[in-house]
Amino acid sequence: MSLRPYTYVTLSLRPESTPHVGVSFHTPDLKVGAGLLLSGPRPYLELYSHEANVHISTTGAGPVTDADLSTAREIFTAAARYLADCEQLHAEQTANDQDATDPAA
């Protein structure tokens, strides 16, 4: 079963707790951007679709901290892993699709 593309956003509010926002992008319409805001200057990363935006920047929108560098490295490592997993699964799916349509198989 395959679902249609979608973006899912949740907001959880509990008494005496910090609010929690969750954003799940499951769409080919996802865009990713990064740059440097000149009003600082400070770096930013954004993920967005027609339904939701996620913006990431430095702590308190201030100067780059050691924690900001650590977070940026974690994002980079996670994105590289995501790319590798997507490439592997795509290659496997392509091979399976070709096997399924090959009359000699």
Side-chain angles (χ1 to χ4, degrees):
M1 179 174 117
S2 179
L3 298 175
R4 294 174 37 163
Y6 65 96
T7 298
Y8 188 74
V9 179
T10 61
L11 173 60
S12 300
L13 299 169
R14 293 187 179 144
E16 317 257 342
S17 296
T18 302
H20 177 80
V21 177
V23 181
S24 299
F25 294 104
H26 305 276
T27 174
D29 297 325
L30 182 64
K31 305 291 184 221
V32 178
L36 193 62
L37 295 172
L38 299 178
S39 60
R42 61 186 168 95
Y44 70 90
L45 173 68
E46 61 182 340
L47 295 90
Y48 57 97
S49 70
H50 293 294
E51 297 87 9
N53 299 337
V54 175
H55 299 265
I56 301 167
S57 190
T58 55
T59 303
V64 177
T65 66
D66 289 341
D68 296 325
L69 289 173
S70 179
T71 298
R73 288 183 185 107
E74 289 179 36
I75 291 168
F76 179 85
T77 300
R81 172 69 188 267
Y82 179 70
L83 173 61
D85 289 346
C86 285
E87 287 175 335
Q88 177 185 350
L89 291 171
H90 185 263
E92 291 171 5
Q93 292 162 355
T94 300
N96 289 341
D97 290 346
Q98 289 174 351
D99 288 346
T101 59
D102 184 2

